[in-house]
Amino acid sequence: MRLRTPLALLGAAVLVLVGPPLLTTGSGTETGTQIPGLRFMVPNTPGGGYDITARTAAKNAEDAGLTHGIEVFNLPGAGGTVGLSRLVSEHGNGKLAMSMGLGVVGAVRSNDAPKTLADTTPIARLTEEQDVVVVAKDSPYRTVDDLVGAWKENPGKLPVGGGSSPGGPDHLAPMLMARAAGIPPKEVNYIPFDGGGELLASILGSKVAFGVSGVGEYLDQIKSGELRLLAVTGPERVAGLDAPTLQEAGYDVSFTNWRGIVAPPGLTEAERTKLVGLVEELHDSDEWRESMKRNGWDDAFLTGEKFGAFLDAEDKRVVSVLKELGL
């Protein structure tokens, strides 16, 4: 007993000295952001905006030590409403979240989906970004005026592709562009794809005359020269990209997309608070700031009930714009 006591005391002292850093450094325990077994659903195909956002957020959260082992998985279909239905069915699951945005708002309406975003738990709006108007590198259209000139001659013969269902951002942007150019929106031949990944292959293969998608989705292809950027849809040019805004080119359109995160219904207050807290810490991290800069994303952070009110307003806005365009 006399021999063991000094050893036991020494061991306890070592644990006191070594234990706290092992428990706290880079573990997320200081802020309570650790959510073991967290899964992040992407409601469209790999390579799209929701996919890039989810995988970037998961990697940044892990690199910042906020949580570990996040599983990102894809469940595409019907513009994101298949994933939405799955999310709503996971009532009370505090370890599941879904990447989403304006495209899901529109898809709920265009597909008359049985479940809506009002059935979810709003967590946060993360980013805002412009759409880009792009063609393949060997396209005959070198400027947006070249494109619009040919488009006006025969709208039906120049299909435009987008990575969202009717009512989503990649649908609304070219419809607003068409109206500004004097083309009746009902005459536009819009081909929807389930995310920017599927759309890219059709643009490169000349199956569509041009495509509209988020700047972050095609930044690499634009910079490598695979895609030719004709214009951006927002109010200002995108830093580092040589293309005018649609307004600069003479078309009265100013349009941006946004992305965020929702969770299943029926969460406890503690579960909801923990998810919001994780995203708040992610938003404040150097890793996330660098990712936003690299992807051309603007900060549009909004959480909880304020985000819920925003979702309700966006639903009303989509309905209003579709009616205004006669769609």
Side-chain angles (χ1 to χ4, degrees):
M1 289 294 292
R2 290 179 183 176
L3 289 174
R4 289 185 198 146
T5 301
L7 291 174
L9 291 172
L10 178 61
V14 170
L15 285 174
V16 168
L17 290 171
V18 177
L22 291 174
L23 289 171
T24 61
T25 301
S27 69
T29 53
E30 304 97 323
T31 54
T33 58
Q34 284 287 346
I35 306 178
L38 179 61
R39 306 180 77 214
F40 206 171
M41 184 197 305
V42 177
N44 63 9
T45 55
Y50 300 150
D51 188 68
I52 294 170
T53 302
R55 295 182 190 280
T56 300
K59 184 177 187 305
N60 289 170
E62 294 191 2
D63 288 348
L66 300 176
T67 193
H68 296 88
I70 302 174
E71 178 192 349
V72 181
F73 68 101
N74 298 76
L75 185 61
T81 57
V82 170
L84 176 62
S85 293
R86 163 71 180 277
L87 185 83
V88 174
S89 73
E90 295 274 349
H91 189 278
N93 185 352
K95 296 187 177 184
L96 179 65
M98 186 179 85
S99 176
M100 49 72 70
L102 180 56
V104 176
V105 178
V108 166
R109 286 294 176 179
S110 62
N111 293 316
D112 196 23
K115 302 299 180 182
T116 74
L117 289 165
D119 297 312
T120 70
T121 299
I123 301 300
R125 184 183 67 188
L126 293 175
T127 62
E128 185 177 51
E129 70 171 340
Q130 303 198 36
D131 266 1
V132 291
V133 180
V134 292
V135 295
K137 63 181 179 181
D138 56 355
S139 167
Y141 311 118
R142 305 200 67 83
T143 68
V144 69
D145 283 336
D146 291 343
L147 172 64
V148 171
W151 200 18
K152 289 175 76 171
E153 286 183 14
N154 198 330
K157 286 193 175 180
L158 255 75
V160 51
S164 60
S165 295
D170 300 350
H171 172 248
L172 294 177
M175 293 300 168
L176 293 169
M177 180 178 163
R179 184 180 66 176
I183 300 169
K186 284 187 176 181
E187 294 183 12
V188 173
N189 181 8
Y190 176 76
I191 301 177
F193 294 85
D194 207 355
E198 288 186 355
L199 170 62
L200 178 61
S202 290
I203 300 172
L204 295 176
S206 300
K207 293 181 180 179
V208 295
F210 67 103
V212 177
S213 194
V215 62
E217 294 177 67
Y218 294 157
L219 204 54
D220 290 342
Q221 289 80 11
I222 291 169
K223 290 184 174 180
S224 70
E226 287 183 85
L227 294 176
R228 181 183 300 146
L229 175 61
L230 301 185
V232 296
T233 66
E236 298 178 354
R237 290 192 176 210
V238 175
L241 297 181
D242 184 20
T245 66
L246 286 173
Q247 288 183 327
E248 280 183 77
Y251 306 99
D252 189 17
V253 176
S254 181
F255 182 87
T256 55
N257 185 19
W258 56 267
R259 294 194 177 93
I261 300 171
V262 292
L267 301 192
T268 65
E269 184 61 25
E271 288 170 329
R272 188 195 68 81
T273 299
K274 195 156 193 176
L275 279 168
V276 171
L278 171 60
V279 178
E280 286 175 338
E281 292 294 326
L282 170 67
H283 171 259
D284 292 339
S285 70
D286 292 338
E287 290 83 355
W288 180 248
R289 290 194 187 98
E290 178 57 34
S291 291
M292 285 200 299
K293 181 179 178 181
R294 185 174 60 252
N295 287 294
W297 297 336
D298 294 321
D299 192 7
F301 197 59
L302 195 67
T303 61
E305 292 180 1
K306 290 182 178 179
F307 179 42
F310 171 79
L311 289 177
D312 183 57
E314 283 293 271
D315 179 56
K316 291 181 173 65
R317 183 171 77 94
V318 166
V319 171
S320 174
V321 172
L322 288 173
K323 286 182 178 177
E324 183 183 337
L325 293 173
L327 301 171

